[in-house]
């Protein structure tokens, strides 16, 4: 059997800078994002890990015309 390949280690994720974001249409929003795309070797797809503090919300309801997102 072949050993599983670990692409991103927890320590690497923890060492990434967090970027706080608050949605301008939702005063209760607060999300802290870490960009994982470069660690995963992605060039054309964005991959972010978001942390929402207790008692806060992520974003206002929205949609995209030319991209997709998932939670």
């Amino acid at each position: 059997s072949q050993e599983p390949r670990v692409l991103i280690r927890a320590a690497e994720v923890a060492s990434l800078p967090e970027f706080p974001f608050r949605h301008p249409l939702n005063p209760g929003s607060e999300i802290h994002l870490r960009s994982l795309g470069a660690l995963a070797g992605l060039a054309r797809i964005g991959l972010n890990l978001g942390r929402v503090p207790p008692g806060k919300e992520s974003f206002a309801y929205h949609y995209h015309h030319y991209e997709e997102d998932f939670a």
Side-chain angles (χ1 to χ4, degrees):
S1 97
Q2 195 174 35
E3 289 289 321
R5 184 170 174 212
V6 177
L7 296 178
I8 301 175
R9 299 185 184 277
E12 290 175 304
V13 173
S15 71
L16 293 172
E18 265 191 346
F19 299 97
F21 179 80
R22 292 192 164 116
H23 196 283
L25 300 177
N26 182 357
S29 74
E30 181 181 335
I31 188 166
H32 300 263
L33 300 170
R34 287 187 165 125
S35 177
L36 303 178
L39 288 179
L42 301 175
R44 296 178 50 186
I45 298 174
L47 178 62
N48 295 294
L49 178 64
R51 178 179 63 81
V52 179
K56 295 295 183 177
E57 300 171 7
S58 58
F59 297 110
Y61 179 75
H62 68 283
Y63 66 94
H64 301 274
H65 291 284
Y66 302 105
E67 60 187 23
E68 298 181 35
D69 62 5
F70 63 93

